[in-house]
């Protein structure tokens, strides 16, 4: 498997956070922190992450897909979002889990949803989710 993937290479069972309505839409909580336009390379990296959020992603793969060095990729993410590429991935995954959990309903299996979004260790996921949202995953709105 090549470390460089096509943006069109998405699986129908892979979660995707974006609505598709606005190509410049960024996931909730991940707004750009500066007024400069997002570079084409950064837009490619963000689109790739969005399409492959639940997969195992490395900083190197993200940089490679966007034709950036790892240093430049990290610099651009920090400048525009205030987080590294992998922190961006984690936040996107957390937002995806929260959106999928929706209102608490009987039969909602947090473990299945968390795993679908790439969180393999339920205990670490629960702690990360609580740190990010201030609530346990089962109490999401």
């Amino acid at each position: 498997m090549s470390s460089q993937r096509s943006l069109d290479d998405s699986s129908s069972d892979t979660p995707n956070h974006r609505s598709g309505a606005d190509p410049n839409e960024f996931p909730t909580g991940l707004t750009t922190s500066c007024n400069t336009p997002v570079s084409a390379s950064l837009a490619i990296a963000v689109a790739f992450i969005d399409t492959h959020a639940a997969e195992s992603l490395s900083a190197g793969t993200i940089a490679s897909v966007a034709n950036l060095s790892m240093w430049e990729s990290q610099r651009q993410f920090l400048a525009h979002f205030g987080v590294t590429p992998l922190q961006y991935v984690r936040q996107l995954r957390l937002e995806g889990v929260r959106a999928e959990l929706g209102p608490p309903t009987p039969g909602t299996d947090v473990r299945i949803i968390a795993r679908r979004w790439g969180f393999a260790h339920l205990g670490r996921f629960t702690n990360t989710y609580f740190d990010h949202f201030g609530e346990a995953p089962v109490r999401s709105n």
Side-chain angles (χ1 to χ4, degrees):
M1 180 179 198
S2 170
S3 66
Q4 194 167 25
R5 301 177 195 154
S6 163
L7 289 176
D8 296 328
D9 180 25
S10 63
S11 169
S12 62
D13 61 348
T14 301
N16 188 322
H17 191 273
R18 291 193 197 241
S19 66
D22 180 358
N24 297 316
E25 168 193 341
F26 291 106
T28 304
L30 297 173
T31 57
T32 99
S33 60
C34 63
N35 291 328
T36 60
V38 172
S39 72
S41 295
L42 184 58
I44 289 168
V46 168
F48 177 79
I49 290 169
D50 184 60
T51 304
H52 300 279
E55 299 172 24
S56 179
L57 297 176
S58 70
T61 299
I62 295 165
S64 176
V65 165
N67 200 28
L68 294 169
S69 69
M70 284 181 35
W71 181 88
E72 183 60 20
S73 173
Q74 182 159 323
R75 189 195 69 72
Q76 287 192 30
F77 270 89
L78 285 168
H80 287 278
F81 302 111
V83 295
T84 67
L86 294 181
Q87 289 170 326
Y88 185 95
V89 170
R90 185 179 63 231
Q91 289 180 11
L92 180 68
R93 288 175 178 170
L94 288 168
E95 293 289 341
V97 169
R98 189 173 208 214
E100 200 169 325
L101 283 172
T105 56
T108 300
D109 193 336
V110 174
R111 291 172 300 170
I112 292 171
I113 294 170
R115 283 191 185 114
R116 186 170 34 244
W117 279 94
F119 293 101
H121 189 280
L122 189 60
R124 272 181 271 183
F125 159 74
T126 301
N127 289 337
T128 302
Y129 190 99
F130 187 84
D131 290 346
H132 190 76
F133 296 114
E135 61 187 18
V138 295
R139 296 189 183 239
S140 291
N141 298 339

